[in-house]
Amino acid sequence: MFIKRIIPCLDIKDGRTVKGINFVNLRDAGDPVELAKFYAENGADELVFLDISATEEKRKTLINLVLKVAEQVNIPFTVGGGISSIEDVSMLLNSGADKVSINSSAVKNPQLINDLANRFGSQCITVAIDAKRVNGEWKVHLVGGKVPTELSLFDWAKEVADRGAGEILFTSMENDGTKDGFANKALAQLSELVNIPIIASGGAGRIEHFTDAFMKGKADAALAASVFHFKEIEINELKKELQQNQIPVRL
């Protein structure tokens, strides 16, 4: 069985780390550079940096902040937000990112996934999918969850994998920030559907939620924000608990 990854997420707005509930009501969670350094030194397997307003504000990711974070971490570092071209990805990788995450731009131009995978390798390309249930069906949403589409989560995930993405970051918008647990049924369905890693996002509140994401949701990694930022869960303690539940992690 592959090692399961624990990934803190830094949602960035106006140069600060923020966290909300269901993608709204954002509150400050600290300095992203300091948080990144802390996580790199305290058991995180990877780090995700999402410039959450870049697409809505029609601008590029904050390169200077990416450079500062990259200087402080020695673990894989994924950057997303406002990425829409080979040039954007090249700039971010040259600034210290190990991987990039694309979301709205991939839906608007699916060929971008192929182009980026061919140019940089699938291992560098994460496709983030934000979705929630609409009339019982999981539908993809864009621009930080603000723009609904008719695109099915599962159809899109299959296409993303077929086009060469290296992994999928699936955020359940209805679970996000609620601390009620991950969307494990949808996660399990995604894991059965595609043969690339699935990162679970949205809903972490207690250690057992991570256990469920791996055992019930069949996720390959679990991402969380506020429970780590506000020290509600310590990553090393989480990993010890996961190991006791026979879930392979790096200690």
Side-chain angles (χ1 to χ4, degrees), residues 42-56:
N42 287 274
D45 296 295
E46 297 186 17
L47 191 67
V48 168
F49 171 118
L50 298 177
D51 188 346
I52 61 172
S53 59
T55 298
E56 184 180 15

Side-chain angles (χ1 to χ4, degrees), residues 69-85:
V69 170
E71 288 173 356
Q72 298 295 329
V73 303
N74 58 356
I75 55 177
F77 172 37
T78 301
V79 176
I83 299 169
S84 59
S85 69

Side-chain angles (χ1 to χ4, degrees), residues 102-113:
I102 56 175
N103 188 334
S104 299
S105 60
V107 174
K108 294 171 183 175
N109 175 23
Q111 181 62 34
L112 180 65
I113 303 169

Side-chain angles (χ1 to χ4, degrees), residues 101-168:
S101 173
I102 56 175
N103 188 334
S104 299
S105 60
V107 174
K108 294 171 183 175
N109 175 23
Q111 181 62 34
L112 180 65
I113 303 169
N114 304 68
D115 294 345
L116 295 180
N118 290 334
R119 175 70 177 269
F120 302 104
S122 293
Q123 78 284 350
C124 288
I125 311 304
T126 300
V127 174
I129 305 177
D130 301 331
K132 68 178 178 181
R133 281 177 289 195
V134 179
N135 298 323
E137 300 287 333
W138 283 96
K139 297 294 186 181
V140 175
H141 286 60
L142 308 181
V143 193
K146 295 179 173 64
V147 178
T149 76
E150 288 300 312
L151 195 56
S152 158
L153 163 65
F154 303 107
D155 291 345
W156 178 230
K158 182 71 167 59
E159 181 174 348
V160 160
D162 290 343
R163 286 182 176 274
E167 62 186 359
I168 290 171

Side-chain angles (χ1 to χ4, degrees), residues 42 90 148 171-172 236 250:
N42 287 274
S90 183
T171 300
S172 167
N236 285 320
R250 179 183 65 84

